[in-house]
Amino acid sequence: MRYGNAYAVLNFVVVNPTLGGSLMTKGMPSLNCAWGDYSGSLKLNSGRSQWGVTGDFKLTNKIGSYREYHETFTKPDGESVTRTETPLGGYNSDK
């Protein structure tokens, strides 16, 4: 046998296209405010050469947003620990 005592052989045939390409786009807009994440990719094949361009864009419309979070943990002995998360500043942290 060609592969000795192998129980199975996987034969992957990979073909590199010599002409053509692909175009992919993705958009994830928000329905109720001006937030979104968009991307696009273009790949072109010519002979043995492959060329690609990718772009990403995130739309926030300068909306001020922040997160404030409080949680309390109670240990089995009755002692409790409170953790508070507050914004540190910056454009997206202003109230």
Side-chain angles (χ1 to χ4, degrees):
M1 297 249 337
R2 184 174 184 180
Y3 299 103
N5 294 328
Y7 293 107
V9 175
L10 297 176
N11 186 13
F12 291 100
V13 177
V14 179
V15 177
N16 189 14
T18 58
L19 185 63
S22 64
L23 172 66
M24 294 180 282
T25 60
K26 176 182 79 167
M28 296 184 341
S30 177
L31 298 178
N32 61 351
C33 61
W35 287 35
D37 189 15
Y38 306 93
S39 66
S41 176
L42 174 67
K43 179 181 168 185
L44 299 173
N45 300 327
S46 177
R48 292 179 176 235
S49 299
Q50 295 181 349
W51 301 89
V53 176
T54 301
D56 291 313
F57 179 71
K58 185 172 183 178
L59 178 67
T60 58
N61 200 22
K62 296 185 180 179
I63 296 172
S65 64
Y66 66 95
R67 173 184 157 140
E68 220 172 276
Y69 187 71
H70 306 278
E71 62 185 348
T72 302
F73 299 97
T74 304
K75 297 179 181 180
D77 64 358
E79 182 185 356
S80 65
V81 176
T82 301
R83 183 173 79 163
T84 302
E85 180 183 314
T86 57
L88 296 176
Y91 185 83
N92 287 337
S93 298
D94 295 336
K95 291 184 182 182

